[in-house]
Amino acid sequence: GSMAAMVTRTLETKRERNIATVLMALTIPCSAQLGVILALLSAHPVSIGIWLAVIIGNFIAIGFIARKYVPGAQPSFFMELPPLRWPKLSHIAKKTWTRLVMYIKELIPIFILISVIIWALDLIGIFQIITAIITPLVNAIGLPGSTTPSFILGFFRRDFGAAGLMSIKNTLTGVQLLVAAVTLTLFLPCVAQFMIMIKERGLKLALLIAVISIALAFTMGFLVNVILTGFGIVF
């Protein structure tokens, strides 16, 4: 997600870059989180299909809404086809190395800082205060308070949040696991992605995305829980 946020700078207009940022931040899980969520839901294959349908549905709906309401002119689409030649391995290696170094320089310090922040918050008790604040929202979507730390950790590192659910999955029903997976996927962008969004798109848009993502995540989690429990679906 953080790497993709940087790649949006290659899009033609500011409007396109903003729409791409919104779609990635609100609906696209990072590769690490995706792997953990698939493992989390693997015991109930039908839940993977429901999770995928919810995420794709949100992607399409948010795309249509963003297309209509994000200001700016819609650019004309022209594709110029260059001569197709075999790429040189040296060029591929050079570009890959350049992008890798850029990624490491910008994000490794952020990951280290995140680990320090998590440790400090837990040490001074703020982590527990945040947990107490968020727990009522978690309970409202049909999840026990034991899942709350996963959502908090998901803000710092998306895969951390999903991994937190792995440790308690035996205490949750299949429906609860699905609700947690949906909510966590749509939840706040991680700190690294959030900071890249501030750098690339500005603080105003980054904060707006953060507020929308919280509302979207818990709304969809609530709806999935109400629909499945209302129809008596159990897995």
Side-chain angles (χ1 to χ4, degrees), residues 115-139:
S115 299
V116 173
I117 291 175
I118 294 175
W119 170 78
L121 290 178
D122 185 53
L123 184 66
I124 62 180
I126 294 180
F127 196 93
Q128 289 75 12
I129 295 174
I130 298 174
T131 299
I133 294 173
I134 296 179
T135 296
L137 283 175
V138 174
N139 294 151

Side-chain angles (χ1 to χ4, degrees), residues 33 53-54:
Q33 185 191 39
V54 171

Side-chain angles (χ1 to χ4, degrees), residues 95-110:
K95 177 170 284 190
T96 302
W97 176 255
T98 301
R99 294 293 176 86
L100 181 61
V101 170
M102 177 182 67
Y103 182 83
I104 291 174
K105 284 184 177 180
E106 290 201 23
L107 294 179
I108 290 300
I110 295 177

